[in-house]
Amino acid sequence: MAVDDDLSVLEAVVQDLRRHYGAAYRVMRAASGQAALDTLAQLKIRQEPVALLLSDQRMPGMTGVEFLGLARELYPEARRVLLTAYADTEAAIRAINTARIHYYLNKPWDPPEEKLYPVLTDLLEDWKAGYQPPFEGLRVIGHRWSLKDHKVRTFLSRNHVPYRWLDIAANEDALKLLEQCQLDPDCLPVVIFADGSTLVDPEPDVLALRVGLSTQATQEFYDMVVVGAGPAGLAAAVYGASEGLRTLVIEPEAPGGQAGSTSRIENYLGFPAGISGADLGRRAHIQASRLGAEFLTQRATGLRTDGQYRFVQLADGREVSSHVVLLAPGVQYRKLEIPGAGRLAGRGIYYGAALVEAVACKGEEVFVVGGANSAGQAALHFAKFASKVTMLVRGPGLSATMSKYLIDEIERTSNIVLAPKTQVLEAFGEERLESLRLSGPAGEYRVAATSLFVFIGAAPGTEWLPSTILRDENGFLLAGPDLRENGKLPEGWRGQREPFLLESSVPGVFVAGDVRHGSVKRVASAVGEGSIAVQFAHQYLAGF
Ligand SMILES: Cc1cc2nc3c(=O)[nH]c(=O)nc-3n(C[C@H](O)[C@H](O)[C@H](O)COP(=O)(O)OP(=O)(O)OC[C@H]3O[C@@H](n4cnc5c(N)ncnc54)[C@H](O)[C@@H]3O)c2cc1C
């Protein structure tokens, strides 16, 4: 929808939009913010999706920023773009934070092939990736509080497989569908495919195969095998493949890594309006695949060496071999060590599950544990759906542990409440989380709770690696200069040379990202390390 009070400009925008997008989208127009809001309200009643709003800034009655802010309440997923005169650029940049606009474009936008379409196409692709057309494609029927159901939904959404979820307890259609498919409502979750075929409580590898993900390597030998498709592994795949290395990436969940589960990365270079981790992962996956990298939906379970060859063992018992291995398995969320937490994990207690669960918490109160950036981002994300978000923070406040921009936004968000000096002592519930015992400044007390999201740090996923790969006391992998102890290289080091900067204690096995000892836990640094590791891989291969 294009909005502008200047009718000649409006006509010109609409013409340009129709010419390029008319075949796939309906282009609507409005001559004021209020008229546009009225139309959006009608569309909402008719349950019609809205992909993109393109609004002029200077309009009488309601500015473009005001309109986009109000439109966000009706269509939070629609991409919001402000069209500004050069003089309004500063207002536009401010609006990225306040009205959460996705982009601003300066007038005039000629030629549209350069100044309009690339930006809008990019935004429409993002919107499309998150859009689930009703009743098409996959349907998942399950219990909202079941761990199995949660795993299936997380797997699908993080692999960008569109699906519709039907909660057996809340949706009458779910029971009817199960009856039609002659399936037992006591055996859930069930995945129903568009052709009517079904899978009951599928393992990830079975589901991966059925939705068209690859679980077996196509070649016997690769130049480089990358373990983990987080930002570090994806960057290595992009650079490796683009520089001619036969590259295989092993990832059991979905490309994107931890970043895939974060609600929004605000500080990654080149994305002034932020980018969701899922979008970043999706883009990098497409980019690496286009450049020739191969992806396997598998978990690495072991690593062995034989002369110059490196073998990565996979969960299904197979092995893949290569000259170079890049270890980028990142870190895993630390679990809450309190009575009841283990039993209720996935049934009201979640670790880094923000994107999938947020919509299910609509209108409810949500608790978030933790005071670092991850907890802040999650709280802001939930605040869009939940009636109230309570942040349980061990310290006296957030300033020592969270970035200022997040603290500012939390303060601006009226339905987020901070509970400082507060810890969770116990979780209660039979089938699912029902209440929590907390300890706060006023002593111990109990609160009713249905959702608790935990963000209390993470540990490296390195337990599967052989002891020859050296690590620090917390399990983070040592590489390059960190391998030296008291100035000496480890005894097992077989190379005639110094280890390369990101090389582990086994020559030809490199380390990148959060899993590396001393790494900066950021998307950009993981991406940087993944790409640098490829340069060292080239140097290593040149020595053959
Ligand atoms: C909630 C949250 C919010 C964050 N927000 C920001 C932010 O705003 N800005 C920012 O810069 N950073 C942010 N970070 C940090 C950022 O996400 C990480 O630094 C980054 O994802 C690290 O990338 P990585 O590739 O090293 O590891 P990961 O992203 O952890 O990826 C590792 C991948 O390896 C896979 N893997 C693990 N074990 C195996 C195995 N055995 N075999 C095969 N694959 C395996 C995992 O499934 C995973 O996909 C945030 C983190 C969290 C948790």
Side-chain angles (χ1 to χ4, degrees), residues 227-233 250-254 256-259 262 264-267 298-300 328-333 374 377 405 455 464 512-514 521-524 526:
V227 178
I250 300 168
E251 168 62 58
E253 306 283 338
Q258 265 188 84
T262 69
R264 196 159 200 87
I265 303 159
E266 301 274 7
N267 51 4
Q298 283 273 4
R299 178 175 293 280
V331 294
Q332 276 134 28
Y333 294 99
S374 51
Q377 287 175 334
Y405 77 91
F455 297 89
W464 56 278
D514 278 11
K521 308 288 183 287
R522 286 281 178 278
V523 172

Side-chain angles (χ1 to χ4, degrees), residues 42 234 264 424 517:
Q42 290 298 319
L234 287 167
R264 196 159 200 87
V424 191
H517 165 84

Side-chain angles (χ1 to χ4, degrees), residues 160 213 234 255 280-290 295:
H160 315 293
L213 300 171
L234 287 167
L280 190 65
R282 180 177 53 79
R283 284 158 177 253
H285 179 208
I286 295 171
Q287 191 177 15
S289 306
R290 185 175 62 79
F295 285 78

Side-chain angles (χ1 to χ4, degrees), residues 86 116 135 161 211 293 338 343 416 424 434 472 526 536:
Y86 182 69
L116 187 69
F135 295 106
V161 179
V211 298
I338 53 159
R343 197 167 41 83
I416 300 183
V424 191
E434 286 164 15
D472 67 13
F536 294 125

Side-chain angles (χ1 to χ4, degrees), residues 53-73:
L53 302 161
L54 178 61
S55 174
D56 180 38
Q57 164 63 356
R58 283 197 195 191
M59 296 186 290
M62 189 186 291
T63 66
V65 170
E66 284 165 348
F67 159 66
L68 291 173
L70 291 168
R72 186 173 159 223
E73 289 168 21

Side-chain angles (χ1 to χ4, degrees), residues 351-525:
Y351 297 88
L355 284 177
V356 183
E357 285 307 322
V359 186
C361 300
K362 203 167 182 165
E364 295 179 8
E365 178 171 1
V366 161
F367 291 84
V368 172
V369 187
N373 283 358
S374 51
Q377 287 175 334
L380 286 166
H381 187 62
F382 287 125
K384 289 187 235 159
F385 302 92
S387 61
K388 180 179 166 192
V389 179
T390 305
M391 294 189 75
L392 308 173
V393 180
R394 211 161 37 167
L398 297 173
S399 57
T401 47
M402 196 179 284
S403 300
K404 185 160 179 326
Y405 77 91
L406 284 171
I407 298 179
D408 289 348
E409 197 158 344
I410 285 171
E411 278 168 5
R412 277 198 296 268
T413 308
S414 58
N415 60 339
I416 300 183
V417 176
L418 189 68
K421 295 190 182 164
T422 302
Q423 290 188 55
V424 191
L425 301 179
E426 193 167 358
F428 304 94
E430 287 300 318
E431 287 289 296
R432 60 183 178 86
L433 180 67
E434 286 164 15
S435 65
L436 297 168
R437 186 160 62 88
L438 305 176
S439 112
E444 286 187 17
Y445 58 104
R446 206 156 151 165
V447 287
T450 48
S451 304
L452 177 75
F453 294 89
V454 185
F455 297 89
I456 52 169
T462 52
E463 62 300 329
W464 56 278
L465 285 165
S467 57
T468 46
I469 304 275
L470 297 182
R471 55 206 95 184
D472 67 13
E473 62 281 8
N474 295 316
F476 289 90
L477 302 181
L478 298 172
D482 291 331
L483 287 170
R484 281 192 180 271
E485 206 180 352
N486 302 323
K488 280 199 189 139
L489 281 170
E491 273 181 21
W493 175 255
R494 305 214 180 279
Q496 299 295 307
R497 52 174 174 78
E498 278 291 304
F500 293 114
L501 189 63
L502 296 174
E503 198 168 23
S504 75
S505 48
V506 173
V509 177
F510 294 84
V511 179
D514 278 11
V515 77
R516 190 177 63 79
H517 165 84
S519 61
V520 178
K521 308 288 183 287
R522 286 281 178 278
V523 172
S525 51

